Amino acid sequence: MDMCSGPLPGKILRFAIPLMLSSILQLLFNAADVIVVGQFAGSTSLAAVGSTGALINLLTNVFLGLSIGTNVLVARYFGARQEKNIHETIHTSMMIALI
C-alpha cells in the first residue's frame, strides 16, 4: 500500500481496522474467560481472572505500541530511502521485544 500518494483517509482506515479488530478480540477473549470461570468456579477464581485482565492488556498494549512506533520509523526511513536505518530500526525493535 502506497501511503505517500493519493487520498489518505481510506488508507489510514484500512491500516487501522486490523488494530481495532485485534483489540475487540482481546476484549472478547477476556469476556469468555470471565464467563467460563464465573459459571464453573467460585468468586475468588473470578476475581483472579478479572484482575489479571488488566495486566494482560497492559503487556499486549506495550508490544502493540512498540510495533506501531517501529512502523512509524520504518515508514519515515523508507520514504527517505535510508535502508541502513530501516535495518537498524527493525533489529533494535526485535531485540527490545525479546528482552
Side-chain angles (χ1 to χ4, degrees), residues 63 66-67 69-70 73-74 77 84-99:
F63 285 107
L66 178 64
S67 66
T70 301
L73 287 175
V74 168
Y77 293 140
K84 181 182 179 206
N85 288 339
I86 292 172
H87 292 289
E88 288 178 1
T89 301
I90 292 171
H91 293 142
T92 302
S93 176
M94 291 174 68
M95 289 304 296
I96 290 173
L98 290 174
I99 290 173

Side-chain angles (χ1 to χ4, degrees), residues 15-47:
F15 183 77
I17 285 176
L19 297 173
M20 291 185 281
L21 290 176
S22 68
S23 294
I24 290 170
L25 287 175
Q26 289 171 11
L27 288 171
L28 291 174
F29 179 76
N30 193 22
D33 282 346
V34 168
I35 290 169
V36 169
V37 171
Q39 291 290 325
F40 300 109
S43 60
T44 306
S45 301
L46 184 58

